[in-house]
Amino acid sequence: MTTSKPTSASSTPPPPLIPRILHIVIFLGLLGLILKLYKPSESNMLFDGASLVLYMCGITVYIANIVKGLRLVSAGKYGEDLATSEDDKGQILGREDSLKVLAASNTILALVLIGVLVLQAGQWYAERKDAQEVEDMDGKKGGSSSASGVEAEGLVRG
């Protein structure tokens, strides 16, 4: 049996529009987190600072592992095909290990981005609870001052 080489259509790189859109979305997320830090408050520094750290970890995992892994998969070269010297042959990962690293990197990236979403939802919840407490305190102050005003009127009239 003869093995056929992949056709040139299957080894063509994706259109440049797809990575550009992905990079624009990554940049907009980073820009949004940085802009939220513009007017610093305690909530912004804690929640948005932690979100920014997680987001940067996600970008690092994407650049270091996922982009390189996808390039290896699309090229179809693994292990000994990539070795430049005899010493490198035992250190470069084979096909199965490369795909395991790529899958683990995708899982790590998903968990990091879920962490960013949880932090942002936590910030929204904390700000909402804080606003409700301020509203309740203002309502109690307004109610108690009007009641004391009625009592004062009753004392003056009576």
Side-chain angles (χ1 to χ4, degrees):
M1 290 195 145
T2 60
T3 58
S4 62
K5 283 189 155 186
T7 61
S8 62
S10 66
S11 64
T12 59
L17 182 64
I18 295 170
R20 286 181 189 154
I21 290 174
L22 179 62
H23 294 144
I24 288 171
V25 169
I26 290 171
F27 176 74
L28 286 177
L30 190 60
L31 181 68
L33 284 172
I34 291 172
L35 286 178
K36 283 182 75 176
L37 287 173
Y38 180 69
K39 47 180 183 169
S41 68
E42 187 176 354
S43 168
N44 283 11
M45 295 307 283
L46 294 175
F47 287 103
D48 291 335
S51 293
L52 189 59
V53 168
L54 277 178
Y55 200 78
M56 291 307 293
C57 288
I59 290 173
T60 304
V61 167
Y62 172 73
I63 291 171
N65 292 340
I66 296 175
V67 170
K68 288 181 181 178
L70 288 176
R71 286 184 182 159
L72 283 175
V73 168
S74 64
K77 292 183 178 180
Y78 302 100
E80 293 182 6
D81 295 339
L82 298 172
T84 56
S85 67
E86 281 297 317
D87 295 335
D88 290 343
K89 285 189 179 184
Q91 295 181 2
I92 298 179
L93 299 177
R95 180 176 186 264
E96 185 177 332
D97 291 333
S98 294
L99 292 176
K100 285 180 182 178
V101 168
L102 186 60
S105 298
N106 281 324
T107 304
I108 290 169
L109 182 62
L111 292 175
V112 164
L113 293 178
I114 287 172
V116 171
L117 289 176
V118 167
L119 283 170
Q120 292 300 305
Q123 181 182 14
W124 170 79
Y125 179 77
E127 288 175 354
R128 191 183 84 178
K129 279 296 193 186
D130 190 39
Q132 285 177 350
E133 287 178 7
V134 168
E135 186 178 297
D136 288 346
M137 294 298 253
D138 289 343
K140 287 180 181 179
K141 286 181 183 176
S144 63
S145 65
S146 65
S148 62
V150 170
E151 290 174 1
E153 270 184 36
L155 291 175
V156 172
R157 286 188 189 164

